[in-house]
Amino acid sequence: MSEEVKKDLPGGTSERSLNFLEEIIEEDLKSGRYKSIVTRFPPEPNGYLHIGHASSICLNFGLTKKYPGYTNLRFDDTNPVTEETEYVDSIKEDVKWLGFEWKNERYASDYFDTLHGYAIQLIEKDLAYVDDSTSDEMAAMKGTPTEPGSNSPYRNRSITENLDLFARMKAGEFPDGSKTLRAKIDMGHINMLMRDPVIYRIKHAHHHRTGDKWCIYPMYDFAHGQSDSIEEITHSICTMEFVPHRELYDWLIEQLGIYPSRQYEFARRNINFTVTSKRKLLQLVTEKHVTGWDDPRMPTISGLRRRGYTPESIRDFCDRIGVAKRENMVDVGVLEFCVREHLNKIALRRMVVFDPLKVVITNYAGEDEILHSENNPEDPNGGVREIPFSKEIYIERDDFMEVAPKKYFRLAPGQMVRLKSAYIIKCEEVIKDAEGNITELHCTYIPESKSGSDTSGINVKGTLHWVSLKSSISLEIREYDRLFKVEDPTDEEGDFKEYLNPASLKVITTAVGEPALANAKFDDRYQFIRKGYFCLDKDTSSSRIIFNRTVTLKDGWAKEQKK
Ligand code: ATP
Ligand code: MG
């Protein structure tokens, strides 16, 4: 990403201006409409949260951090079939990990009794009726955006009959889909969602919290807004696709005379080269295109966490992309930029050689010695670590060239380089096996060139990372790339899974690291010098230490694409 783009990112320069929701809230507080505000984050527990949800979380919780008030976590669990306790637990873990605290943990299913009472109120006011039409029949009577719909033959049932039928629906007398409860609004309404929307359906299904108590369940529109009112949510923030639902939201509040929550909409945030839909992510999991919801290639919060993203970097990302009214695709490079910025400040520097080439330092007569190197040059309190140096070391195979072009500053016959935090070495001899493969290099070192006390007067341009052979530990490295080959896999012909990137995971089993890495901790973040940012993976065992590459040091993707 160019400096230009970085500067243009919202939040990239000085204080950003208020977003439209902050403007509304400041106005509401100033006018005295509210003394404090209440928001909610309302996930449906049918999958793991993804980076799009992070925007909604940061927005809802961020507003009540900035202004007086609080945020509820509400599980929108009105659909018994797709919801599971596993998802509820993961959602709570993710919100907490992102650094937010909810005031109340609520479930739409807690309100099933109240919602059922509201439905009876509507029937009693002759504002709802039981309809026996099939879904096809209902669709046929719905009309089109330009033509009005027609009334159902069941629309004029008496209040008594409706009350009786609704009670029998609840009692389990009718099979799934045979009847619905519909709001009686206007089949000629210009807004199709106001044409007698279904508010209750029959579903003989076990619910993850209410068990078998119910066989009728409220529809989204008859649960969401009402739950907002029950919790006295002041600003109910959702995504743009709910704009047409707002009229029904307001109508139900008015007819039921309940707390006047208000709905506001903002644009969904999607990032390129991935999908952000729980339903699609679930397919990737169940069809085993990834190892699970927390596969480090997934755009889920748990995947990003396992990959090494920090909560700070995700909050920074959400802040930078900001809140908008217009949908747009955010470049994943922005997310990577945010994590690099944070990791650069906190990551411990370590040396790891991915493809080792042995170097023998022929004039190194000394005993093994312990050198020191800063843990993090960005952090004055970061301290130093010990690095053993010895006669035999490893360097990266591609840091050596037998026939080097001009301006090649790495190692080549007769050429000198500095070993990071150690000495300057010079390549004297290349050793090969019978097939002509390079098996080791013989070098000499300059004893006066020790980093920190260099009196050699020699200037070299290249600095290489290295690992002492004797004390090296072997590591497995997992490098990740874009999960999809195209920017928007859902916008292509055919199934989105046809566009999966077959090279999204590269496993390197030859890597060797400095001994300090034997004590790596899951919460620590590392920069492997000249390689990228890494963190320990949960697959690590006593016999295998595994690191995930969070992100490269620089944005290599754009360059790669131009080749
Ligand atoms: P999905 O299609 O992934 O299932 P959803 O909107 O159905 O998404 P919910 O569990 O209903 O998921 O979402 C909880 C909250 O997060 C809602 O307020 C929703 O509007 C918001 N949200 C979901 N996806 C995004 C996104 N990509 N960008 C911003 N907010 C989002
Ligand atoms: Mg949903």
Side-chain angles (χ1 to χ4, degrees):
M1 210 184 332
S2 68
E3 287 303 315
E4 209 57 29
V5 175
K6 276 184 243 168
K7 248 189 291 156
D8 286 349
L9 290 175
T13 48
S14 56
E15 266 309 280
R16 60 170 174 79
S17 52
L18 295 183
N19 66 46
F20 76 94
L21 285 161
E22 291 168 332
E23 277 173 10
I24 289 169
I25 290 169
E26 295 210 348
E27 195 49 48
D28 284 342
L29 292 170
K30 208 165 81 193
S31 72
R33 184 185 173 92
Y34 304 113
K35 283 201 178 57
S36 62
I37 60 164
V38 186
T39 61
R40 85 286 171 268
F41 173 62
E44 185 183 341
N46 61 346
Y48 281 59
L49 298 180
H50 52 64
I51 185 71
H53 293 112
S55 276
S56 175
I57 294 170
C58 289
L59 178 59
N60 279 294
F61 284 90
L63 287 171
T64 56
K65 263 195 172 168
K66 181 163 181 182
Y67 302 107
Y70 61 82
T71 301
N72 285 348
L73 174 61
R74 182 193 324 136
F75 293 99
D76 223 322
D77 58 350
T78 50
N79 184 2
V81 188
T82 54
E83 293 151 6
E84 284 176 35
T85 311
E86 176 199 344
Y87 299 140
V88 168
D89 294 340
S90 76
I91 289 169
K92 282 158 60 175
E93 184 184 355
D94 289 350
V95 174
K96 270 191 233 159
W97 180 77
L98 278 174
F100 297 109
E101 257 176 75
W102 52 89
K103 167 97 171 182
N104 303 298
E105 176 183 332
R106 294 286 164 83
Y107 295 80
S109 58
D110 291 343
Y111 309 138
F112 279 171
D113 281 301
T114 312
L115 297 172
H116 176 252
Y118 288 161
I120 290 177
Q121 275 181 46
L122 288 183
I123 299 174
E124 284 169 344
K125 291 174 89 173
D126 201 19
L127 289 174
Y129 61 97
V130 173
D131 196 334
D132 297 0
S133 309
T134 63
S135 53
D136 285 345
E137 286 164 349
M138 261 192 256
M141 289 184 283
K142 191 96 194 172
T144 68
T146 49
E147 292 160 61
S150 48
N151 286 348
S152 158
Y154 305 97
R155 200 174 198 265
N156 289 323
R157 276 177 164 154
S158 70
I159 293 174
T160 326
E161 189 184 3
N162 281 321
L163 286 172
D164 173 61
L165 286 172
F166 190 53
R168 288 164 60 196
M169 277 167 69
K170 177 172 183 271
E173 283 187 31
F174 309 116
D176 287 5
S178 59
K179 285 183 171 43
T180 54
L181 184 70
R182 297 178 73 178
K184 194 190 264 191
I185 307 179
D186 178 2
M187 288 306 291
H189 204 289
I190 188 148
N191 179 349
M192 302 267 293
L193 286 169
M194 297 293 278
R195 295 182 188 170
D196 292 9
V198 173
I199 57 177
Y200 260 93
R201 60 177 174 153
I202 302 173
K203 190 105 206 158
H204 291 266
H206 189 84
H207 186 278
H208 77 122
R209 294 188 86 238
T210 58
D212 296 317
K213 178 175 173 190
W214 297 91
C215 62
I216 53 171
Y217 289 94
M219 301 299 286
Y220 174 87
D221 281 317
F222 195 66
H224 194 91
Q226 288 55 49
S227 302
D228 284 344
S229 292
I230 293 169
E231 293 172 24
E232 305 202 343
I233 303 298
T234 55
H235 299 77
S236 171
I237 301 161
C238 58
T239 37
M240 292 307 282
E241 70 272 24
F242 290 100
V243 168
H245 295 249
R246 195 191 324 130
E247 205 167 3
L248 179 55
Y249 184 100
D250 292 340
W251 186 88
L252 286 166
I253 284 177
E254 196 186 326
Q255 301 309 322
L256 293 167
I258 53 182
Y259 183 86
S261 299
R262 287 185 173 190
Q263 176 183 305
Y264 300 93
E265 307 87 11
F266 78 111
R268 256 172 200 273
R269 293 316 208 170
N270 298 314
I271 53 177
N272 57 7
F273 297 102
T274 192
V275 290
T276 42
S277 142
K278 282 179 280 182
R279 202 172 43 79
K280 294 204 173 68
L281 294 171
L282 176 64
Q283 284 181 49
L284 298 180
V285 174
T286 52
E287 295 170 27
K288 302 212 180 328
H289 297 288
V290 293
T291 56
W293 284 99
D294 69 346
D295 186 303
R297 292 166 293 182
M298 291 279 270
T300 51
I301 309 280
S302 52
L304 291 166
R305 174 166 63 231
R306 182 167 169 193
R307 172 108 168 225
Y309 275 76
T310 57
E312 290 87 341
S313 61
I314 295 177
R315 293 199 304 261
D316 181 33
F317 169 74
C318 294
D319 197 43
R320 279 172 190 272
I321 63 173
V323 182
K325 281 264 179 198
R326 200 159 41 91
E327 292 254 335
N328 70 345
M329 182 76 96
V330 181
D331 191 320
V332 63
V334 180
L335 182 61
E336 295 178 344
F337 169 80
C338 293
V339 77
R340 267 188 209 108
E341 283 246 302
H342 188 224
L343 293 180
N344 182 42
K345 291 193 198 113
I346 63 160
L348 300 169
R349 272 53 171 178
R350 296 290 184 260
M351 293 198 279
V352 174
V353 173
F354 285 32
D355 182 12
L357 172 61
K358 184 173 159 186
V359 172
V360 180
I361 301 168
T362 52
N363 65 336
Y364 187 76
E367 293 296 302
D368 298 350
E369 69 187 288
I370 301 290
L371 303 174
H372 293 91
S373 189
E374 290 167 295
N375 276 322
N376 184 353
E378 300 287 316
D379 177 3
N381 304 317
V384 294
R385 69 187 191 282
E386 298 186 338
I387 314 175
F389 184 76
S390 55
K391 193 179 175 75
E392 293 179 324
I393 63 164
Y394 289 122
I395 64 164
E396 209 69 69
R397 188 166 282 274
D398 67 8
D399 276 338
F400 175 77
M401 260 182 121
E402 199 170 11
V403 184
K406 259 194 184 168
K407 298 208 170 173
Y408 182 77
F409 299 124
R410 295 182 247 171
L411 204 57
Q415 208 156 297
M416 288 197 256
V417 291
R418 171 169 292 286
L419 297 174
K420 167 84 183 155
S421 300
Y423 299 95
I424 293 173
I425 58 168
K426 180 179 180 188
C427 177
E428 310 282 359
E429 194 183 352
V430 182
I431 313 293
K432 295 180 183 175
D433 64 14
E435 278 90 53
N437 302 309
I438 300 172
T439 53
E440 58 183 62
L441 303 176
H442 287 181
C443 294
T444 50
Y445 87 120
I446 303 185
E448 305 78 50
S449 67
K450 187 166 162 176
S451 292
S453 56
D454 182 357
T455 56
S456 69
I458 301 171
N459 259 329
V460 292
K461 283 228 167 87
T463 300
L464 305 186
H465 60 282
W466 57 277
V467 170
S468 160
L469 183 146
K470 213 190 275 178
S471 55
S472 67
I473 56 172
S474 53
L475 306 173
E476 176 179 319
I477 306 285
R478 296 180 181 170
E479 289 184 341
Y480 304 102
D481 201 345
R482 312 286 193 244
L483 188 51
F484 287 89
K485 291 180 288 191
V486 295
E487 281 213 45
D488 185 359
T490 59
D491 196 35
E492 302 281 339
E493 238 165 75
D495 188 71
F496 74 101
K497 286 170 295 195
E498 287 169 31
Y499 300 92
L500 279 160
N501 175 7
S504 59
L505 168 64
K506 183 177 161 201
V507 179
I508 297 160
T509 53
T510 51
V512 289
E514 59 174 277
L517 284 168
N519 305 317
K521 291 191 214 56
F522 284 103
D523 285 340
D524 283 340
R525 298 291 185 277
Y526 298 93
Q527 184 194 100
F528 293 168
I529 290 164
R530 299 174 66 221
K531 288 293 183 184
Y533 292 101
F534 294 82
C535 71
L536 201 60
D537 185 75
K538 70 168 191 186
D539 285 345
T540 293
S541 65
S542 52
S543 59
R544 229 168 26 140
I545 303 177
I546 304 167
F547 279 93
N548 293 320
R549 186 175 71 193
T550 310
V551 68
T552 53
L553 288 177
K554 293 203 181 91
D555 183 3
W557 177 257
K559 234 187 289 164
E560 200 60 34
Q561 292 301 86
K562 281 194 199 113
K563 271 187 194 166

